[in-house]
Amino acid sequence: MTTAPAPTARTGDARPRDVARQAVVAVSALVAVVGAVVGSGALGGTPIAEAGGGALSATATLVAPAGPAFAIWSVVYTGLVALAVHQLLPGRREDARQRRTGWWVAASLLLNAAWILTVQAGQVSASVVVIAALLVVLVVAFGRLVRSRPASRVEALVLDGTIGLYLGWVSIATVANTAAALKQAGLTSAEPAWAVAVLAVAALVGVVVARLGGGRLAYGAGLTWGLVWVAVGRSGDGESASTTAAVAAAVAAVVVAAATVAERLRSRSLSRAPRR
């Protein structure tokens, strides 16, 4: 998909709801950060990996990413805080892309915190509903971003980069969360088979998003990162080891990465081609 020229940053039509949007995004970012601290167990709460009877631990299912994968949250949260600060700048108040995505970003931040609280309450099945809603919200925000180009490199990094990485990671997190809920509900037979199936779906989604988004690297990086760590988690000799799932995750990671790079190169080639 070829993106349109960058929109005019300022529309000259500031409204009270622009100020409200900026404030809500900033407050939502604060709520999300506090939620993350609570979710880590730093304030006495139960760490996510231990909540719900360990249903979301790194070894709970065959599609759970290995522990180090979750370090990506530090990058995502840093990006979200930077985005919250960036959008507060006076020059961003009337920005067309902020208007299209700001409320969706705020919704994603609040859903993020809600997901943590839901998991800590031991409601793993309910957490699937919350993370699915988070995924939908991020898909909408991402879709609104890819309709136009960022006005600067800072915007490309802080807005497009953060949302893309966030969506990519939540894509694989949704798969892992759903698998955990199904296993907790008693679906344990033929786990390698359905693990391969959901990993194949994740790869297909990655290819489709790469195509529609013109090879947005941040999204591809987030999803590929998760898939690689699923492969790592299933390798070795532990209880959660599975050669079948490890190979499927590794193949899925390669497919997503290759599709993202290929679409990126294709998109750049089209943008540089002379118009007739």
Side-chain angles (χ1 to χ4, degrees):
M1 181 175 89
T2 304
T3 53
T8 302
R10 295 180 64 85
T11 65
D13 183 24
R15 297 167 243 174
R17 64 183 179 185
D18 288 325
V19 178
R21 183 197 69 243
Q22 289 179 302
V24 170
V25 171
V27 172
S28 298
L30 178 60
V31 171
V33 170
V34 172
V37 175
V38 171
S40 71
L43 297 180
T46 305
I48 295 299
E50 300 174 13
L56 296 174
S57 71
T59 59
T61 71
L62 295 186
V63 292
F70 298 93
I72 194 175
W73 275 120
S74 297
V75 181
V76 171
Y77 278 115
T78 299
L80 289 170
V81 171
L83 170 54
V85 173
H86 182 257
Q87 62 91 39
L88 279 174
L89 298 175
R92 301 294 94 195
R93 183 169 300 158
E94 305 162 46
D95 184 79
R97 299 178 94 226
Q98 292 290 348
R99 283 178 169 172
R100 284 203 300 268
T101 60
W103 295 107
W104 294 97
V105 171
S108 77
L109 291 164
L110 295 176
L111 283 168
N112 195 323
W115 180 83
I116 291 173
L117 293 176
T118 304
V119 172
Q120 288 198 324
Q123 302 299 316
V124 179
S125 295
S127 73
V128 174
V129 177
V130 179
I131 200 170
L134 172 58
L135 181 65
V136 170
V137 165
L138 288 173
V139 166
V140 173
F142 183 81
R144 291 184 169 213
L145 284 176
V146 299
R147 283 158 41 186
S148 60
R149 294 176 183 172
S152 66
R153 290 185 178 180
V154 171
E155 182 179 322
L157 177 64
V158 173
L159 180 56
D160 297 66
T162 297
I163 298 304
L165 189 68
Y166 192 10
L167 174 59
W169 171 250
V170 169
S171 296
I172 191 64
T174 302
V175 169
N177 198 162
T178 303
L182 291 174
K183 189 169 183 177
Q184 190 181 64
L187 184 60
T188 57
S189 61
E191 187 177 1
W194 59 256
V196 171
V198 297
L199 289 170
V201 171
L204 177 61
V205 170
V207 171
V208 171
V209 173
R211 174 67 177 176
L212 297 179
R216 295 294 177 108
L217 296 179
Y219 173 83
L223 181 53
T224 300
W225 172 269
L227 290 168
V228 166
W229 282 106
V230 170
V232 172
R234 304 293 75 77
S235 302
D237 302 318
E239 293 182 4
S240 63
S242 169
T243 301
T244 300
V247 171
V251 170
V254 171
V255 168
V256 172
T260 300
V261 172
E263 285 299 329
R264 182 76 170 186
L265 294 175
R266 189 184 75 87
S267 180
R268 284 191 171 185
S269 176
L270 290 174
S271 65
R272 292 173 180 172
R275 297 183 179 180
R276 297 181 180 179

